[in-house]
């Protein structure tokens, strides 16, 4: 009898392990990302250096730690037109079969507004919330390449954004500078940036400053999964957190909706964003990932 029970127990364990191995990979859940977005918005305005952005940083870290992920803080001091400001990028690294890296990035700060309450539901919260959910999904999947997920601080200008200026993209510029110092830039095979992806009427235009082949790959994935009406072929030119990577020779793409009437206004709130938009971006990025892995595998440096 004991031997029979042992055999049954072993068979049960084997069946459970086999079922786990055969379980479909986790899918991106826009409703989960939406809950993160709401929690970040509830903190209030989150400009770089504020008490509130520290609360946002703590929230992101708690969510990732609860999923079993280790979060690395990358602190730095930025010289801004309003003086020196303490900032910090957040990084989660998911191991892959190869040490070379793919980056998924976005920012989690909001624009400093002195004349209005700006909670940045799309511009700041959408990218931060999206990346938390993306981390959950990717951490459950076998990855060909090591995948780093990065939340940039200080994307917003402290005063005024001037193209080619220095009062913006503090976190991404610092990240690239540190990678250059450590001679690790060449290990980054691609960088995908998401920014302002919560708009209820989402429209993503092709950024002419992004890497063409990477843009083509993502837009093809969007058409394949039925979101070609969102990822349109109209061109635009955007200065954003991808530019420091492009300048450093890293293939990069910016997924952003600037056709957003509430941009940098008090109306960038929960009424103007949706979980459905987050779902669209999640579906497209996950559909594009196998193509991206194959592309960089077939194009060694």
């Amino acid at each position: 009898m004991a031997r029979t029970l042992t055999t049954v127990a072993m068979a049960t364990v084997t069946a459970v392990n086999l079922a786990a191995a055969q379980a479909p990979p986790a899918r991106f859940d826009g409703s989960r990302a939406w809950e993160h977005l709401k929690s970040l918005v509830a903190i209030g305005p989150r400009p770089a250096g504020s008490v509130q952005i520290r609360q946002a940083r703590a929230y992101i870290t708690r969510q990732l730690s609860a999923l079993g992920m280790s979060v690395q803080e990358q602190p730095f001091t930025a010289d801004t037109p309003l003086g020196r400001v303490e900032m910090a990028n957040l990084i989660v690294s998911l191991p892959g079969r190869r040490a070379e890296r793919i980056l998924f990035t976005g920012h989690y700060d909001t624009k400093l507004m002195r004349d209005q309450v700006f909670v940045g539901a799309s511009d700041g919260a959408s990218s931060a919330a999206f990346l938390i959910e993306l981390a959950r999904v990717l951490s459950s999947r076998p990855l060909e390449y090591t995948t780093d997920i990065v939340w940039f601080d200080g994307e917003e200008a402290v005063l005024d954004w001037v193209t080619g200026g220095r009062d913006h993209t503090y976190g991404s510029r610092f990240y690239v500078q540190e990678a250059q110092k450590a001679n690790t830039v060449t290990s980054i095979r691609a960088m995908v940036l998401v920014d302002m992806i919560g708009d209820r009427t989402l429209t993503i235009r092709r950024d002419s400053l992004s890497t063409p082949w990477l843009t083509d790959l993502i837009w093809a994935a969007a058409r394949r999964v039925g979101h070609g009406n969102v990822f349109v072929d109209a061109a635009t030119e955007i200065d954003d957190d991808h530019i420091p990577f492009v300048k450093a020779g890293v293939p990069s793409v910016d997924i952003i909706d600037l056709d957003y009437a509430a941009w940098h206004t008090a109306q960038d709130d929960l009424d103007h964003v949706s979980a459905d938009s987050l779902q669209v971006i999640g579906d497209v990025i996950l559909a594009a990932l196998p193509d991206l892995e194959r592309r960089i595998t077939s194009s060694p440096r």
Side-chain angles (χ1 to χ4, degrees), residues 136-157:
R136 181 190 71 85
V137 174
L138 293 181
S139 68
S140 71
R141 298 184 173 206
L143 299 169
E144 180 66 16
Y145 288 87
T146 295
T147 300
D148 287 356
I149 302 175
V150 186
W151 290 257
F152 293 127
D153 199 349
E155 184 267 352
E156 299 285 3

Side-chain angles (χ1 to χ4, degrees), residues 1-84:
M1 178 64 74
R3 184 174 299 173
T4 301
L5 290 174
T6 299
T7 302
V8 170
M10 291 177 62
T12 301
V13 171
T14 300
V16 170
N17 289 340
L18 182 60
Q22 294 176 340
R27 298 183 62 185
F28 189 94
D29 186 344
S31 63
R32 284 177 178 262
W34 175 252
E35 292 303 316
H36 294 311
L37 186 154
K38 289 197 298 182
S39 295
L40 289 165
V41 166
I43 294 171
R46 305 170 301 282
S50 67
V51 171
Q52 290 87 346
I53 199 169
R54 291 197 292 272
Q55 293 172 351
R57 193 178 305 144
Y59 175 83
I60 294 168
T61 300
R62 284 197 307 273
Q63 303 310 307
L64 297 166
S65 298
L67 293 168
M69 285 175 258
S70 176
V71 183
Q72 173 192 350
E73 272 197 24
Q74 187 183 47
F76 61 100
T77 303
D79 290 315
T80 80
L82 296 182
R84 293 168 66 81

Side-chain angles (χ1 to χ4, degrees), residues 173-184:
R173 287 190 286 116
F174 181 79
Y175 184 97
V176 170
Q177 289 165 11
E178 291 301 290
Q180 289 171 328
K181 289 178 185 176
N183 292 318
T184 58

Side-chain angles (χ1 to χ4, degrees), residues 240-258:
D240 203 351
D241 276 321
H242 63 309
I243 297 302
F245 289 86
V246 171
K247 289 180 177 178
V250 176
S252 306
V253 62
D254 191 6
I255 298 174
I256 184 171
D257 180 359
L258 278 176

Side-chain angles (χ1 to χ4, degrees), residues 71-203:
V71 183
Q72 173 192 350
E73 272 197 24
Q74 187 183 47
F76 61 100
T77 303
D79 290 315
T80 80
L82 296 182
R84 293 168 66 81
V85 177
E86 299 301 320
M87 302 185 187
N89 298 327
L90 298 177
I91 305 166
V92 162
S93 187
L94 305 175
R97 197 175 70 83
R98 300 171 185 253
E100 292 172 296
R101 294 177 291 151
I102 296 173
L103 269 57
F104 293 101
T105 72
H107 75 97
Y108 71 104
D109 62 310
T110 57
K111 172 71 175 164
L112 176 64
M113 300 281 197
R114 299 189 183 280
D115 58 345
Q116 59 185 307
V117 178
F118 179 67
V119 297
S122 189
D123 196 5
S126 68
S127 52
F130 175 88
L131 292 176
I132 297 171
E133 172 60 7
L134 184 66
R136 181 190 71 85
V137 174
L138 293 181
S139 68
S140 71
R141 298 184 173 206
L143 299 169
E144 180 66 16
Y145 288 87
T146 295
T147 300
D148 287 356
I149 302 175
V150 186
W151 290 257
F152 293 127
D153 199 349
E155 184 267 352
E156 299 285 3
V158 172
L159 291 182
D160 297 308
W161 190 300
V162 177
T163 299
R166 305 287 290 177
D167 182 23
H168 54 70
T169 60
Y170 293 96
S172 55
R173 287 190 286 116
F174 181 79
Y175 184 97
V176 170
Q177 289 165 11
E178 291 301 290
Q180 289 171 328
K181 289 178 185 176
N183 292 318
T184 58
V185 171
T186 56
S187 74
I188 307 172
R189 300 301 308 277
M191 189 278 252
V192 178
L193 171 67
V194 294
D195 189 3
M196 294 178 60
I197 53 172
D199 187 354
R200 282 183 177 273
T201 56
L202 196 63
T203 302

